[in-house]
Amino acid sequence: MTESTEISEQKQIFGHPQGLFYLFFAELWERFSFYGMRALLTLYMIDVIFQALAERDYATAAVYSSYGSLVYASTVIGGKVSDKILGMRNSIFLGGILMSIGHFVLAIEDNMAFFLALSLIIVGNGFFKPNISTFVGTLYEKGDPKKDSGFTIFYMGINIGGWVAPLLCGWLAATYGWHYGFGLAGIGMLTGLIVFWSGIRKNVFGDRGLPPTEEVLDKKVLGIKQGVLVPILAVLAAPLIALLLSSYQAIATEGMFADQNIVNVIFTGIGIAVLAYLAYEMFKANVKERKELFVAVLLTFFMTIFWGFHELSGSVITLFAARNIDLEGIMSAAQTNSLNSMFIIIMAIPISLMWTWLSKKNWNPRTPYKFGLGLLFAGISFYVLAISGGSANENGLVPFAYLLLMYFLLSVGELFMSPVGLSKMTDLAPLRLIAFIMGVWFLSSAFAFQIVGFIGKQLAIESTDKNVGGFETLSVYTDGFMLIAKYALGAGILVLLASPIIKRLMGKVH
Ligand code: GLN
């Protein structure tokens, strides 16, 4: 068999190219490492990195938000470098190796190692995440109706990793120590790389994912081959980002908590630049394209609001679970991070069957309605947490059932928006702008972490008490959740009201 074997000649599994299953398991393990580590991140910063500070919640919110913003923003660069130079396979290897090193560096007990590790994960994810997602698409011929279900299977892989990892890493961290939890995340990432490598060895990807041309890796820039220069620059970027992230430590130790957050400034700049570029493209485009681009931007904006509340799960909601939920004997606060993925696994297939069933009856709601409903689900989910305070026991702890119901509703909302939006982006973007629009779509998660940081800072509790919680913190969180619920419900209602107009702008795109 040669490298250029066509996918259609390859063995199929359940009607899908067998390459899908290698990508499925590689991404499963990568997300295992990502979410296993994320489950520990906030609690680790509160209990270890910033433990001596009364403002530790504030500093943690700031680092968490910068980490999240950069981890998703780096995907735009990783996608571009892959298109132009490395190709998807090399990018996935480079990203996976950097992420594994990052996770193992996290296993070292040192504050500076901690920031360096986060930076390696940021750079690594930038190369890994966008390219493995695009790789899935390339396994199918254009217009193949199996592509959507291929992506659904892939989304399941993501969430199997996101479900199991917090349970295992959370258990290891609680039983043996934080660094065992982080170490397991690293082993997960290495497993993912081995799966991907074995897929290449078995030639299941045909000629997909190779660099754009044979010479491009050897082309010299500044006297160094590009194929060598990119990994060098990627590795060099990590300490720079680490300095940026660790500036919070300096800020924290000097007790300066003014909003001097350089990452916020960078993101405001990126936001303005992206909008200006889009305005320019819309100006150049014809009327149909202009309308479609406008809708793509609107949907991305709604998605940003949704992720801004959803991504609180790794920060404020983890802290709420640690301080105000009666977890007795069920799971630890870190392990509650698995609930979102658990409900996605349970609900993904029923909801996609529901869309098919509604389509047959001609009742399948158009995309903007689904987005409006998704935001309403988010609003109701936060409302559930907001009213949970009324059922607090004498220690200020609320029943676990509230958290369970909240995650169920939030996950249903996610399924109304995230997979639907992803496929609409490819329909709405003019061909010449598809890669850019996908980058903008990923930026919605990056910007969402700015919202997460803002809310995390508003709900920061000032205390050095390791066991702070109960009635001391309950109303801070529930009042905050009520406000979030109102904003999400308000946004959902506005989107539903605007849907008839957005629907018209979308033309034939459903
Ligand atoms: N849970 C999904 C993933 O990990 C989406 C996360 C996001 O874009 N914020 O891929």
Side-chain angles (χ1 to χ4, degrees):
M1 235 185 278
T2 63
E3 272 289 15
S4 61
T5 308
E6 275 306 308
I7 295 293
S8 48
E9 291 166 23
Q10 293 276 330
K11 230 170 80 187
Q12 304 266 313
I13 302 178
F14 303 125
H16 288 275
Q18 62 168 338
L20 175 70
F21 296 91
Y22 284 84
L23 297 180
F24 171 96
F25 283 108
E27 175 66 343
L28 185 161
W29 283 110
E30 183 268 333
R31 289 286 103 179
F32 177 100
S33 78
F34 186 84
Y35 284 115
M37 181 285 236
R38 195 197 77 166
L40 307 180
L41 187 56
T42 287
L43 296 169
Y44 179 71
M45 283 196 271
I46 300 273
D47 284 355
V48 180
I49 304 283
F50 296 124
Q51 49 126 349
L53 292 171
E55 297 89 350
R56 60 193 177 160
D57 279 20
Y58 190 104
T60 298
V63 175
Y64 186 83
S65 125
S66 300
Y67 164 74
S69 286
L70 294 171
V71 99
Y72 280 105
S74 63
T75 57
V76 180
I77 302 174
K80 200 99 203 129
V81 173
S82 167
D83 281 349
K84 297 268 174 239
I85 307 171
L86 290 186
M88 290 179 286
R89 294 183 191 193
N90 291 325
S91 301
I92 290 169
F93 271 118
L94 175 61
I97 291 168
L98 291 174
M99 285 181 86
S100 311
I101 299 173
H103 287 297
F104 290 124
V105 172
L106 263 183
I108 302 170
E109 288 179 47
D110 175 77
N111 282 12
M112 208 48 221
F114 171 76
F115 291 108
L116 183 64
L118 291 190
S119 310
L120 285 162
I121 297 170
I122 287 169
V123 182
N125 189 66
F127 284 104
F128 193 101
K129 178 81 170 152
N131 290 305
I132 196 147
S133 320
T134 322
F135 211 148
V136 174
T138 65
L139 295 181
Y140 299 85
E141 301 302 330
K142 245 195 160 73
D144 186 342
K146 289 221 183 86
K147 193 165 163 175
D148 270 8
S149 73
F151 269 108
T152 308
I153 294 173
F154 187 71
Y155 209 68
M156 290 291 238
I158 288 177
N159 284 292
I160 293 173
W163 169 50
V164 179
L167 295 176
L168 289 181
C169 294
W171 171 76
L172 272 180
T175 318
Y176 296 99
W178 293 106
H179 300 282
Y180 288 89
F182 290 131
L184 180 65
I187 293 172
M189 185 63 251
L190 272 186
T191 314
L193 272 182
I194 294 170
V195 171
F196 185 63
W197 175 75
S198 70
I200 289 180
R201 288 232 17 207
K202 293 196 179 123
N203 195 27
V204 296
F205 303 122
D207 59 359
R208 270 63 169 178
L210 296 169
T213 62
E214 271 177 26
E215 313 79 52
V216 68
L217 293 181
D218 292 332
K219 197 174 144 208
K220 288 196 175 169
V221 176
L222 304 169
I224 308 176
K225 289 180 181 172
Q226 291 197 112
V228 180
L229 188 63
V230 172
I232 292 178
L233 289 178
V235 170
L236 288 181
L240 289 180
I241 298 173
L243 278 180
L244 201 70
L245 289 177
S246 65
S247 64
Y248 296 108
Q249 204 180 14
I251 293 170
T253 36
E254 282 155 30
M256 291 149 54
F257 278 99
D259 264 325
Q260 26 176 308
N261 181 338
I262 190 158
V263 180
N264 292 156
V265 179
I266 295 174
F267 271 86
T268 313
I270 296 178
I272 293 171
V274 169
L275 282 179
Y277 182 71
L278 279 166
Y280 164 74
E281 284 292 349
M282 278 188 214
F283 177 73
K284 273 197 338 192
N286 63 35
V287 179
K288 179 172 170 284
E289 281 183 351
R290 195 172 299 161
K291 282 185 190 164
E292 292 184 343
L293 268 178
F294 181 69
V295 175
V297 173
L298 265 187
L299 295 183
T300 307
F301 177 70
F302 301 150
M303 199 68 233
T304 306
I305 300 175
F306 181 84
W307 287 135
F309 300 144
H310 178 288
E311 291 286 356
L312 286 168
S313 46
S315 66
V316 169
I317 300 172
T318 301
L319 287 180
F320 181 66
R323 293 167 177 172
N324 286 105
I325 298 226
D326 191 355
L327 294 168
E328 212 56 60
I330 306 171
M331 50 173 60
S332 68
Q335 290 176 320
T336 61
N337 276 268
S338 69
L339 296 173
N340 169 229
S341 284
M342 181 185 87
F343 283 122
I344 294 280
I345 296 168
I346 297 174
M347 296 306 293
I349 292 174
I351 288 186
S352 88
L353 288 176
M354 179 175 83
W355 299 145
T356 321
W357 182 75
L358 287 173
S359 285
K360 280 191 194 133
K361 298 203 168 286
N362 253 339
W363 289 344
N364 190 8
R366 299 272 303 256
T367 303
Y369 291 104
K370 286 181 183 156
F371 269 57
L373 291 170
L375 281 164
L376 286 188
F377 270 109
I380 302 168
S381 76
F382 276 93
Y383 184 73
V384 167
L385 275 197
I387 58 166
S388 69
S391 313
N393 67 14
E394 68 283 5
N395 299 321
L397 301 180
V398 307
F400 180 69
Y402 283 95
L403 190 70
L404 208 60
L405 180 58
M406 179 267 175
Y407 269 120
F408 170 77
L409 294 164
L410 192 65
S411 307
V412 172
E414 179 179 341
L415 286 166
F416 272 54
M417 296 178 78
S418 174
V420 178
L422 193 65
S423 86
K424 289 313 135 192
M425 286 303 115
T426 51
D427 294 337
L428 288 168
L431 214 53
R432 69 195 152 88
L433 286 180
I434 281 199
F436 176 69
I437 292 291
M438 285 312 263
V440 174
W441 179 252
F442 266 121
L443 275 181
S444 73
S445 294
F447 281 107
F449 273 90
Q450 295 294 302
I451 302 177
V452 170
F454 175 79
I455 298 174
K457 288 173 187 171
Q458 305 303 310
L459 304 187
I461 312 281
E462 257 193 59
S463 168
T464 43
D465 177 6
K466 212 171 164 21
N467 296 317
V468 68
F471 285 109
E472 226 179 309
T473 57
L474 184 62
S475 62
V476 174
Y477 290 122
T478 50
D479 289 353
F481 294 148
M482 190 55 97
L483 212 57
I484 293 170
K486 285 182 184 160
Y487 276 110
L489 288 171
I493 291 169
L494 282 180
V495 174
L496 286 176
L497 288 176
S499 287
I501 304 170
I502 304 175
K503 186 179 84 176
R504 224 168 298 144
L505 291 174
M506 289 177 78
K508 287 207 175 65
V509 178
H510 200 275

